[in-house]
Amino acid sequence: MRRTAKGIAVLASTTLALALAACGGEDKTTEEQPKADPAALKAELTWWDTSDPKNEGPAFQELIAKFNQTYPNVKISYQSVPFGEAQNKFKTAAQAKTGAPDILRAEVAWVPEFASLGHLYALDGSELLADESDFLETPLASNKYDGKTYGVPQVTDTLSLMYNKELLTKAGISTPPKTWAELKTAAQTIKQKTDAEGLYVNPAGYFMLPFMYGEGGDLVDVQSKKITVSSDQNVAGLKIAKDLIDSGAAAKPSANDSYGTMMTLFKEKKVAMIINGPWEVNNVKSAPTFGGLENLGIAPVPGGSAKAGGPVGGHNYTIWSGMPQEKVDAAVAFVKFMSSAESQAFLSEKLGLLPTRKSAYNLDAVKNNPIVAAYQPAVEAAIGRPWIPEAGQFFGPLDQMATEVLIQNKDPKAALDTVAKKYKAEVVTSYGL
């Protein structure tokens, strides 16, 4: 059974003060509760961090150390869990009611799914949402399911065009391309005039979305409950991505660890342009031969015939509904600290990550951050994803499709038809084709 914020309030009323009148009880607020001594709070919490363990993990561990300056007796068992494994690993553990983390860094599409399965606490009325209006609307929306809120936004992001300024200048290109056609021409020019490849396209489903969106496509139509992944628009978008590789404008992607290959080539200045997000900024910045942030260009993803935009991405802090009741106060204190404007500004300064709180953008570490400023147009152009429980299952079939089309040379229409049938059979079974 799904636990709600009312249940949390019963367990930890000093930490989560709810308006119980709405639930048929007496109205109580935080002012009625005594101030708790942070040092008196004792618990051990497990946190699964799904960020990159090398480029981002150390900054999150620094935040844990800062948290413990105020809460010295709350031990955080920090566990780095590979992003690609975390979704199914959490579901398996939560279903078994053992082995799941108390706190999970969940990708935005996972929250509605986990909430629908009863694996998360609802946080409505809690201290964590007391300043709900301070969160940006789109990141907060990913935490909503069936009228309740099951997480708080940690970071928001989208895909962008990341480029090597030095290589573009050497090729005589003064401004980053704004359309896929311009990108193809620029990449070919770079290849001709420098020792580098012009472009690398990662053959994964998430990275195909800007091509699909660019032609006006999407994966499903939630309003009409229709599967649209095999639409003519998506076929046209995939053909654009495929043509970039077939024409030689983009390097042929590796069949093994294509993402890692892309990042290595970019950092070593062997590829001039990639499609990626702010989570890689620190990785690029620290590369010994790249040239630092001064050489990193960031622009919105190029557009197709309909529009330009990458998918809305990001991560949320969630609390496992099977967590022992005596840990609730500590879990709330930890999530509140980690999602604060100050913590978000710290991560922005350290890693170039984009805050989800409006107030964070007023802090010097954010408003004076050139990476945040560079990503602002990309975020404003980002396309919202369907926040339905099944959305977290969309990308397995999409990843297979991208590999088939961009590496194995399969026909885009046939590959997308296979995805549509998979969605109908296993993902959104109530939707029509």
Side-chain angles (χ1 to χ4, degrees):
M1 181 178 179
R2 186 182 309 122
R3 297 189 186 183
T4 66
K6 182 181 178 183
I8 298 179
V10 173
L11 302 175
S13 60
T14 59
T15 302
L16 297 175
L18 305 179
L20 296 180
C23 303
E26 182 184 353
D27 185 13
K28 295 183 179 180
T29 65
T30 50
E31 284 73 24
E32 298 176 30
Q33 303 294 341
K35 280 278 186 181
D37 177 11
L41 194 59
K42 297 181 179 180
E44 181 172 346
L45 300 172
T46 300
W47 179 38
W48 281 7
D49 178 18
T50 57
S51 71
D52 185 285
K54 180 180 178 182
N55 302 312
E56 298 178 287
F60 289 110
Q61 293 180 68
E62 280 190 62
L63 272 183
I64 291 173
K66 289 177 179 288
F67 170 77
N68 282 138
Q69 291 174 6
T70 302
Y71 294 91
N73 296 312
V74 178
K75 181 182 178 182
I76 306 299
S77 176
Y78 174 88
Q79 297 181 15
S80 178
V81 178
F83 176 78
E85 302 173 9
Q87 183 181 10
N88 288 332
K89 189 174 181 179
F90 177 80
K91 281 195 295 184
T92 300
Q95 183 67 33
K97 296 180 170 47
T98 181
D102 303 306
I103 313 294
L104 172 70
R105 177 185 182 264
E107 205 270 346
V108 286
W110 301 351
V111 178
E113 178 188 14
F114 294 162
S116 73
L117 296 171
H119 296 334
L120 303 178
Y121 272 115
L123 305 175
D124 302 270
S126 77
E127 185 179 346
L128 292 175
L129 295 177
D131 54 354
E132 182 175 348
S133 62
D134 189 40
F135 288 108
L136 298 173
E137 183 177 352
T138 299
L140 184 64
S142 69
N143 291 284
K144 305 285 186 179
Y145 172 71
D146 199 22
K148 295 185 181 298
T149 307
Y150 289 88
V152 293
Q154 180 211 39
V155 64
T156 189
D157 61 49
T158 190
L159 291 172
S160 66
L161 178 68
M162 302 175 75
Y163 60 94
N164 185 310
K165 293 179 181 179
E166 178 187 332
L167 288 174
L168 264 66
T169 299
K170 187 181 292 187
I173 301 169
S174 58
T175 58
K178 295 182 179 179
T179 67
W180 297 122
E182 290 178 5
L183 181 70
K184 180 179 179 180
T185 300
Q188 290 172 330
T189 301
I190 291 166
K191 190 172 182 178
Q192 292 168 2
K193 296 187 176 183
T194 74
D195 295 329
E197 293 280 358
L199 175 68
Y200 194 106
V201 177
N202 184 39
Y206 191 75
F207 292 79
M208 293 299 99
L209 292 180
F211 295 96
M212 297 178 182
Y213 293 159
E215 300 307 305
D218 209 331
L219 305 182
V220 297
D221 183 333
V222 175
Q223 293 298 322
S224 63
K225 292 196 170 184
K226 185 176 180 181
I227 297 167
T228 61
V229 69
S230 60
S231 67
D232 291 343
Q233 292 90 339
N234 285 343
V235 171
L238 270 189
K239 286 182 176 178
I240 291 172
K242 188 174 186 299
D243 176 66
L244 288 170
I245 296 169
D246 291 347
S247 67
K252 186 170 180 60
S254 170
N256 298 312
D257 191 19
S258 183
Y259 183 93
T261 300
M262 173 179 70
M263 291 311 304
T264 296
L265 293 174
F266 187 67
K267 289 187 295 181
E268 293 179 352
K269 301 198 285 190
K270 295 176 181 177
V271 164
M273 297 181 289
I274 61 173
I275 305 295
N276 217 330
W279 55 87
E280 285 291 357
V281 167
N282 192 54
N283 187 12
V284 175
K285 179 178 69 173
S286 60
T289 61
F290 184 81
L293 293 181
E294 295 78 12
N295 193 37
L296 176 62
I298 295 167
V301 292
S305 63
K307 56 187 173 184
V312 170
H315 294 83
N316 303 318
Y317 292 110
T318 59
I319 300 177
W320 177 37
S321 60
M323 177 183 61
Q325 298 177 1
E326 62 270 17
K327 294 185 178 183
V328 172
D329 283 26
V332 169
F334 180 65
V335 172
K336 184 178 180 182
F337 174 86
M338 295 294 284
S339 62
S340 68
E342 292 75 18
S343 291
Q344 292 192 10
F346 172 84
L347 293 174
S348 181
E349 184 174 31
K350 282 276 185 179
L351 303 174
L353 301 183
L354 310 181
T356 61
R357 284 188 177 275
K358 300 171 187 175
S359 57
Y361 287 86
N362 295 323
L363 301 177
D364 289 343
V366 178
K367 67 182 180 182
N368 297 328
N369 189 315
I371 299 301
V372 173
Y375 264 101
Q376 211 68 34
V379 170
E380 290 170 0
I383 311 297
R385 292 152 62 188
W387 306 127
I388 58 176
E390 300 86 353
Q393 302 300 317
F394 285 153
F395 290 99
L398 277 185
D399 287 342
Q400 179 64 32
M401 176 276 299
T403 297
E404 291 173 349
V405 172
L406 300 186
I407 295 178
Q408 300 171 3
N409 208 33
K410 186 172 181 178
D411 175 68
K413 174 61 176 172
L416 285 172
D417 283 343
T418 300
V419 175
K421 291 174 184 176
K422 187 88 168 178
Y423 282 4
K424 176 62 179 174
E426 300 179 12
V427 184
V428 279
T429 56
S430 65
Y431 279 40
L433 288 170

